[in-house]
Amino acid sequence: MNDLIYRKHISIKKFGQNFLINKKIIEKIIKKINLIKNDNIIEIGPGFGALTFPICSFVKKMTVLEIDENIVFFLLKSIFFKKINVILTDVMKFNFIYFFSDKKNILYRFIGNLPYNISSCFFLSTIRYVQNIYDMHFMFQKEVANRLLASPGNKEYGRLSIIAQHFYCIKSIINVNKCNFFPIPKVDSIFLQFIPRKIHPQYKIEKYFFALELITRYAFQHRRKFLNKNLSKLFSKNQLFSLGINPYVRAENISVSQYFLLAKEFLKIKN
Ligand code: SAM
């Protein structure tokens, strides 16, 4: 077999097409998601239905967003086509806010074996509409998953960990070895669960996202320097002390809740 051809389809690298092929892993994943009939599922990158088809046997209807028109064509010909609302789109350009606008009070469950090249960006973009999300289950490359899960003091702990953990409670569900995909990618993956923390009303989400983005960018600018140096443009040493934050530690030693305090202070001064 050609190492790129799967189901007569030439796997497209730029779309991160590494298809999940181990039925046992798929079964485990589906079990862990705890699907029920009335779930409102949105799947990102359904591919050849590795997760989509098993999900269809639980839920009444689901929406899938796929960029590859050959795959969309395949899905529309599948036996589950009546259950799948297939949208041919680049998920990075898809207007979720508009999509949710006429579906007030519906909470969605996002699922996906995310294409590695957009995984962090797409994940971060979900924060804008976190109020519409019940939970999310995504497969990430191990290295990105470890950054999402990292705690302070750890070398993987950084901007992504802080922003992600501020908005979501994140749990590792299953480690997935790279041999379970076709074509075999370079690295292993981890399937993660995200539960929104819902600490902010909708109108404050963008503000906090912006503040955390900015503060962590400055804080981690020079990883070896102390916080008082890295954050000097945003906060004085005394301000840090008054928030209970030691200015003589490094960015990686500050907890997510301390970054939240910094964001709150930043927004208070700015307004
Ligand atoms: N869910 C399938 C599986 O587990 O076998 C496929 C997963 S594969 C890692 C990623 C899928 O996302 C592919 O079907 C790919 O075509 C699709 N994809 C890649 N980039 C995308 C984008 N920007 N928007 C929507 N779908 C995308």
Side-chain angles (χ1 to χ4, degrees):
M1 185 163 60
N2 181 309
D3 62 0
L4 286 179
I5 296 181
Y6 179 66
R7 292 175 182 248
K8 297 185 187 155
H9 170 86
I10 300 177
S11 162
I12 303 176
K13 205 170 170 205
K14 72 169 179 197
F15 293 156
Q17 290 181 345
N18 299 95
F19 302 102
L20 200 47
I21 51 166
N22 184 331
K23 289 221 154 55
K24 288 219 167 84
I25 297 283
I26 294 169
E27 261 171 42
K28 273 193 197 167
I29 287 176
I30 298 292
K31 214 168 162 186
K32 293 278 185 185
I33 301 173
N34 282 323
L35 293 159
I36 57 162
K37 203 164 118 195
N38 288 326
D39 277 339
N40 296 296
I41 305 285
I42 296 183
E43 189 189 4
I44 310 302
F48 290 100
L51 298 172
T52 325
F53 298 156
I55 293 172
C56 274
S57 54
F58 282 92
V59 302
K60 279 199 266 184
K61 197 142 175 113
M62 67 186 287
T63 295
V64 301
L65 309 181
E66 174 59 60
I67 200 169
D68 184 332
E69 55 186 25
N70 289 326
I71 289 181
V72 165
F73 190 60
F74 164 87
L75 293 169
L76 292 174
K77 283 193 308 178
S78 79
I79 53 165
F80 289 108
F81 81 96
K82 281 191 181 150
K83 281 198 163 197
I84 316 173
N85 170 28
V86 187
I87 304 178
L88 173 64
T89 185
D90 175 349
V91 80
M92 294 310 298
K93 296 185 183 144
F94 187 73
N95 191 338
F96 281 97
I97 307 282
Y98 179 74
F99 179 81
F100 295 137
S101 61
D102 65 340
K103 300 171 186 77
K104 294 256 160 28
N105 304 322
I106 296 182
L107 289 178
Y108 284 86
R109 305 191 72 187
F110 276 71
I111 293 172
N113 169 15
L114 294 181
Y116 70 95
N117 50 333
I118 59 162
S119 61
S120 316
C121 270
F122 173 70
F123 163 73
L124 288 172
S125 73
T126 66
I127 291 170
R128 286 184 62 218
Y129 44 85
V130 68
Q131 301 284 2
N132 296 89
I133 297 174
Y134 177 77
D135 65 5
M136 308 197 295
H137 288 83
F138 289 136
M139 184 87 77
F140 278 94
Q141 277 186 294
K142 194 173 171 182
E143 178 260 324
V144 182
N146 285 338
R147 282 166 54 209
L148 285 161
L149 293 165
S151 26
N154 193 301
K155 72 173 178 359
E156 278 113 352
Y157 183 71
R159 301 182 63 206
L160 184 63
S161 337
I162 295 155
I163 298 174
Q165 292 171 29
H166 175 73
F167 290 99
Y168 292 100
C169 176
I170 310 172
K171 215 167 96 183
S172 166
I173 303 285
I174 312 176
N175 289 343
V176 186
N177 187 282
K178 60 185 174 192
C179 296
N180 295 297
F181 299 91
F182 187 89
I184 300 178
K186 289 204 179 78
V187 290
D188 296 332
S189 291
I190 302 184
F191 192 67
L192 298 176
Q193 179 196 60
F194 301 81
I195 312 262
R197 290 195 192 275
K198 308 237 162 119
I199 34 184
H200 305 297
Q202 178 64 41
Y203 75 97
K204 283 195 177 166
I205 289 174
E206 296 258 2
K207 288 183 183 177
Y208 272 95
F209 182 75
F210 169 79
L212 284 170
E213 218 272 327
L214 184 82
I215 293 163
T216 54
R217 179 145 35 91
Y218 276 103
F220 284 88
Q221 203 172 18
H222 305 286
R223 268 191 106 105
R224 305 309 303 156
K225 285 192 180 168
F226 287 149
L227 218 53
N228 71 321
K229 280 265 183 288
N230 281 340
L231 289 183
S232 62
K233 286 205 173 100
L234 302 177
F235 304 100
S236 69
K237 216 183 298 175
N238 282 344
Q239 263 177 310
L240 295 177
F241 273 128
S242 70
L243 293 171
I245 295 171
N246 182 351
Y248 301 109
V249 294
R250 298 192 172 95
E252 70 215 41
N253 298 111
I254 301 293
S255 68
V256 176
S257 48
Q258 286 175 310
Y259 277 105
F260 175 38
L261 288 180
L262 288 170
K264 238 182 175 158
E265 179 73 3
F266 172 81
L267 292 171
K268 199 170 89 189
I269 307 162
K270 209 170 146 266
N271 287 330

